């Protein structure tokens, strides 16, 4: 993927407070990856509408991370298109030791917060 | 004017070691005077088998605070008799007040020793509700500091509670409170307001004149989802909050107030994350964290952002610009790994096995916040 491509992450309302995106928004929890949208195929607003309408899930807005920022954090970005979501990508933490994943999540969160929400309905 | 030294209660505690007495303590003395008056009248009537007091009993007679003695905060109560009577100690009023003082000392000693309280009729014991209201847990008033028998009549919040429990309405007591919640209604006509406490319960209380405008403003704030904290005094009945009896301050709570954040997270519905996954924050865990945080985390540092974990745990994090400090809490352990990241300096660190049950554990988090410039101001 192009390093300059922006990836869109939907932010759950409980992971956004006083204008800050919280770490949990980028935490894979019990999984190895988190889902994002490929910004070269969809806009932030379209990704928000797609998420709400297709999956019927809550989002308070959309955060953005560059592929380059993910690579600098040493997490992998992979294309994972599906019928329901052709713009689907994954930020993959599986090559990071479990104990260090939190540090990567924190870095991604701080990077996203530098940009702020790229779309807020 | 004839002056007779009457009583020298001694205040013990850190707040009193610099030879001063908090203004609050004067309220103790006012309440003590009321109790002395009542018991003196009771004693006089009992001793003299009278139903009415002689009109001259209280005239030219007053209890005055002379000073706070050097060496400790020791308010010396002095009875001043402004009549021409030379022998004060022989006056009926003096004898009645002395008896009243001894009744109070004996009752406190009985309470302190967990004995049945017989020194004062139970209908007068409610007066202790206003005496020592502001005493902290590590403070006491010695009402007989120089007692030859060593029974110093040590009065603490525990003693106060025992005396009130022995009173004719043992279930009612007043205490200092810090109440978080929402103003639901302000009634201008009756000068009352409705308040829903975060700890549970909706109460109606009178509005002090000087708080009407502010409570009206806070009503609008709360209608938009805000919370306030009321500092003052409240009356409890059977351990249930009954009404706020005095307001010292009303302040709007920050969105990051720990109580408000925890309440929000414990009220999440099952499946809050995606309809299937996501437990509400465990209430016991929330209570445990709130207790530790209130005890060990200093007020002058910013509150953390709290977020729910899908497993019912809690995410705790501080974020300022390019820096973050965070840890997760689960039901399984009081030990947490604390993570630190600064993306501007490309720094990261992990403090392992920090014990949140200890002050030392929290101090290590505070030290990290301090080092990384997260302190307020």
């Amino acid at each position: 993927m192009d390093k300059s491509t922006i990836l869109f992450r939907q932010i759950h309302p409980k992971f956004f407070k006083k204008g800050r995106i919280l770490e949990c928004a980028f935490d894979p929890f019990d999984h190895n990856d988190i889902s994002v949208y490929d910004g070269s195929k969809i806009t932030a607003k379209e990704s928000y509408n797609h998420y709400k309408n297709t999956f019927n899930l809550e989002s308070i807005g959309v955060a953005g991370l560059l592929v380059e920022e993910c690579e600098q954090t040493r997490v992998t970005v992979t294309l994972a298109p599906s019928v329901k979501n052709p713009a689907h990508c994954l930020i993959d933490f599986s090559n990071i030791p479990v104990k260090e994943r939190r540090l990567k999540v924190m870095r991604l969160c701080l990077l996203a917060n530098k940009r702020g929400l790229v779309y807020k309905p | 004017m004839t002056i007779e030294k009457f009583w020298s209660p001694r205040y013990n505690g850190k707040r009193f070691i610099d030879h001063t007495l908090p203004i609050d303590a004067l309220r103790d003395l006012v309440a003590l005077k009321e109790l002395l008056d009542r018991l003196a009248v009771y004693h006089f009537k009992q001793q003299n088998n009278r139903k009415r007091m002689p009109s001259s009993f209280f005239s030219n007679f007053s209890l005055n605070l002379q000073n706070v003695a050097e060496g400790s905060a020791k308010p010396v109560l002095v009875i001043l008799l402004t009549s021409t009577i030379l022998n004060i100690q022989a006056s009926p009023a003096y004898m009645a007040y002395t008896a009243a003082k001894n009744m109070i000392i004996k009752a406190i000693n009985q309470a302190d020793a967990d004995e049945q309280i017989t020194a004062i009729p139970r209908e007068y014991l409610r007066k202790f509700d206003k005496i020592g209201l502001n005493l902290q847990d590590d403070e006491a008033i010695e009402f007989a500091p120089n007692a030859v028998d060593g029974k110093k009549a040590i009065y603490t919040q525990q003693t106060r509670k025992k005396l009130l429990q022995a009173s004719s309405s043992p279930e009612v007591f007043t205490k200092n409170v810090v109440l978080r919640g929402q103003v639901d209604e302000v009634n201008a006509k009756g000068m009352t307001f409705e308040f829903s406490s975060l700890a549970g319960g909706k109460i109606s209380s009178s509005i002090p004149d000087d708080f009407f405008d502010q409570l009206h403003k806070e009503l609008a704030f709360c209608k938009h989802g805000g919370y306030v904290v009321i500092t003052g005094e409240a009356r409890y009945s059977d351990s249930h909050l009954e009404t706020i009896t005095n307001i010292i301050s009303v302040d709007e709570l920050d969105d990051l107030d720990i109580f408000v954040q925890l309440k929000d997270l414990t009220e999440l519905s099952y499946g809050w994350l995606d309809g299937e996954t996501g437990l509400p924050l465990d209430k016991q865990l929330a209570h445990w964290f709130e207790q530790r945080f209130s005890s060990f985390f200093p007020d002058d540092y910013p509150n953390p952002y709290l977020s729910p974990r899908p497993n019912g745990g809690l995410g705790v994090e501080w974020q300022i610009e390019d820096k973050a400090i965070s840890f997760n809490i689960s039901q399984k352990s009081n030990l947490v790994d604390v993570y630190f990241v600064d993306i501007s300096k490309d720094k990261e660190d992990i403090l392992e096995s920090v014990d949140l049950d200890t002050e030392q554990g929290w101090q290590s988090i505070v030290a990290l916040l301090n080092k990384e410039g997260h302190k307020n101001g």
Side-chain angles (χ1 to χ4, degrees):
Chain A
M1 291 183 77
D2 191 315
K3 288 178 188 297
S4 62
T5 298
I6 192 162
L7 305 167
F8 297 130
R9 173 73 175 164
Q10 305 300 322
I11 305 300
H12 191 280
K14 291 298 167 195
F15 302 152
F16 187 80
K17 251 176 207 178
K18 284 193 91 172
R20 296 293 291 199
I21 304 161
L22 306 185
E23 286 165 25
C24 284
F26 297 95
D27 196 324
F29 298 118
D30 294 332
H31 304 285
N32 288 319
D33 47 46
I34 58 171
S35 289
V36 287
Y37 286 86
D38 180 347
S40 68
K41 295 179 180 164
I42 195 168
T43 67
K45 183 179 179 180
E46 286 166 350
S47 75
Y48 173 83
N49 289 331
H50 179 270
Y51 189 72
K52 297 275 281 188
N53 298 334
T54 308
F55 304 117
N56 195 26
L57 293 174
E58 286 186 276
S59 171
I60 199 166
V62 182
L65 285 169
L66 298 179
V67 170
E68 183 180 26
E69 291 170 334
C70 293
E71 288 176 357
Q72 285 169 352
T73 310
R74 291 196 282 281
V75 289
T76 314
V77 181
T78 55
L79 297 170
S82 64
V83 176
K84 274 191 172 180
N85 184 5
H88 187 222
C89 289
L90 292 170
I91 296 177
D92 191 344
F93 294 79
S94 55
N95 63 334
I96 309 290
V98 173
K99 190 138 191 163
E100 291 173 28
R101 286 186 188 180
R102 178 65 173 261
L103 294 168
K104 304 303 177 196
V105 166
M106 291 168 77
R107 280 178 180 268
L108 294 179
C109 183
L110 288 168
L111 287 165
N113 268 311
K114 279 177 85 77
R115 194 167 283 117
L117 290 181
V118 293
Y119 175 71
K120 197 170 188 307
Chain B
M1 185 185 295
T2 311
I3 300 172
E4 174 71 23
K5 189 172 174 183
F6 178 65
W7 203 353
S8 305
R10 181 161 66 202
Y11 282 74
N12 281 335
K14 284 179 191 167
R15 282 195 301 161
F16 316 119
I17 56 176
D18 55 356
H19 309 176
T20 64
L21 200 59
I23 299 291
D24 287 346
L26 296 179
R27 298 173 68 192
D28 297 340
L29 302 184
V30 172
L32 185 65
K33 163 73 165 52
E34 285 176 14
L35 180 57
L36 276 168
D37 286 344
R38 297 285 295 276
L39 291 175
V41 169
Y42 168 81
H43 178 80
F44 183 84
K45 286 181 177 175
Q46 289 281 311
Q47 291 296 305
N48 298 285
N49 199 22
R50 293 179 69 149
K51 289 187 178 174
R52 292 178 59 191
M53 296 298 289
S55 57
S56 61
F57 187 81
F58 289 111
S59 60
N60 297 328
F61 187 85
S62 65
L63 274 176
N64 289 31
L65 177 66
Q66 187 183 50
N67 65 351
V68 178
E70 284 289 326
S72 65
K74 190 177 178 184
V76 179
L77 288 181
V78 178
I79 289 181
L80 299 181
L81 253 181
T82 56
S83 70
T84 53
I85 297 171
L86 293 176
N87 187 1
I88 303 171
Q89 295 188 5
S91 74
Y94 184 89
M95 287 191 284
Y97 272 88
T98 301
K101 177 180 78 172
N102 291 334
M103 289 163 78
I104 293 170
I105 288 172
K106 190 173 179 184
I108 294 170
N109 277 326
Q110 286 174 332
D112 196 31
D114 282 327
E115 294 170 2
Q116 191 180 354
I117 295 161
T118 55
I120 295 178
R122 61 201 299 255
E123 61 266 34
Y124 297 107
L125 292 174
R126 280 231 57 79
K127 287 285 179 189
F128 284 101
D129 195 28
K130 299 287 184 192
I131 300 175
L133 182 62
N134 295 300
L135 281 178
Q136 311 291 311
D137 288 343
D138 57 350
E139 295 173 355
I141 308 171
E142 291 174 8
F143 278 99
N146 302 315
V148 288
D149 59 1
K151 293 181 178 176
K152 295 183 175 182
I154 298 169
Y155 187 76
T156 62
Q157 283 296 354
Q158 287 71 37
T159 328
R160 174 174 170 258
K161 200 165 188 178
K162 287 177 197 169
L163 287 159
L164 291 173
Q165 283 170 345
S167 73
S168 48
S169 47
E171 71 283 1
V172 179
F173 67 99
T174 306
K175 67 177 185 180
N176 291 335
V177 290
V178 177
L179 297 171
R180 288 169 168 80
Q182 290 181 307
V183 179
D184 298 324
E185 199 178 319
V186 172
N187 178 358
K189 198 174 176 187
M191 282 298 276
T192 59
F193 72 104
E194 306 284 324
F195 182 75
S196 292
S197 168
L198 270 182
K202 185 170 180 169
I203 54 166
S204 180
S205 307
S206 295
I207 303 174
D209 289 345
D210 48 341
F211 278 98
F212 179 79
D213 288 344
Q214 192 185 351
L215 284 170
H216 207 261
K217 180 172 84 78
E218 304 309 355
L219 175 65
F221 175 69
C222 292
K223 280 194 170 166
H224 287 95
Y227 288 84
V228 295
V229 56
I230 296 180
T231 305
E233 293 163 13
R235 192 169 67 234
Y236 284 74
S237 177
D238 234 0
S239 298
H240 294 295
L241 178 62
E242 196 173 64
T243 189
I244 297 166
T245 52
N246 183 33
I247 296 177
I248 295 169
S249 68
V250 181
D251 298 296
E252 292 177 2
L253 282 177
D254 187 90
D255 290 348
L256 297 186
D257 181 83
I258 293 300
F259 293 86
V260 173
Q261 290 195 77
L262 288 172
K263 182 173 172 64
D264 179 43
L265 300 185
T266 54
E267 289 178 348
L268 287 170
S269 54
Y270 286 84
W272 58 265
L273 184 61
D274 57 9
E276 294 176 1
T277 318
L279 299 173
L281 174 63
D282 181 80
K283 283 188 176 170
Q284 279 187 323
L285 185 68
H287 181 68
W288 173 83
F289 178 75
E290 182 246 303
Q291 294 285 315
R292 301 302 178 280
F293 186 87
S294 302
S295 301
F296 300 131
F297 192 76
D299 289 341
D300 54 347
Y301 283 77
N303 282 343
Y305 299 89
L306 304 183
S307 53
R309 309 282 301 172
N311 62 358
L314 182 66
V316 181
E317 65 187 285
W318 288 263
Q319 284 188 37
I320 294 182
E321 296 168 357
D322 292 339
K323 289 174 281 205
I325 294 169
S326 76
F327 55 88
N328 288 342
I329 305 173
S330 71
Q331 296 90 331
K332 292 175 190 164
S333 176
N334 53 309
L335 300 178
V336 296
D337 291 340
V338 179
Y339 296 81
F340 163 72
V341 166
D342 181 345
I343 54 170
S344 65
K345 294 178 183 165
D346 196 24
K347 277 171 59 181
E348 56 187 41
D349 198 5
I350 305 175
L351 292 180
E352 294 190 339
S353 300
V354 172
D355 188 352
L356 296 182
D357 264 336
T358 66
E359 189 169 8
Q360 193 184 8
W362 284 90
Q363 279 174 351
S364 64
I365 296 170
V366 169
L368 194 56
L369 284 166
N370 212 23
K371 185 176 151 193
E372 301 307 334
H374 281 48
K375 189 171 180 178
N376 282 342

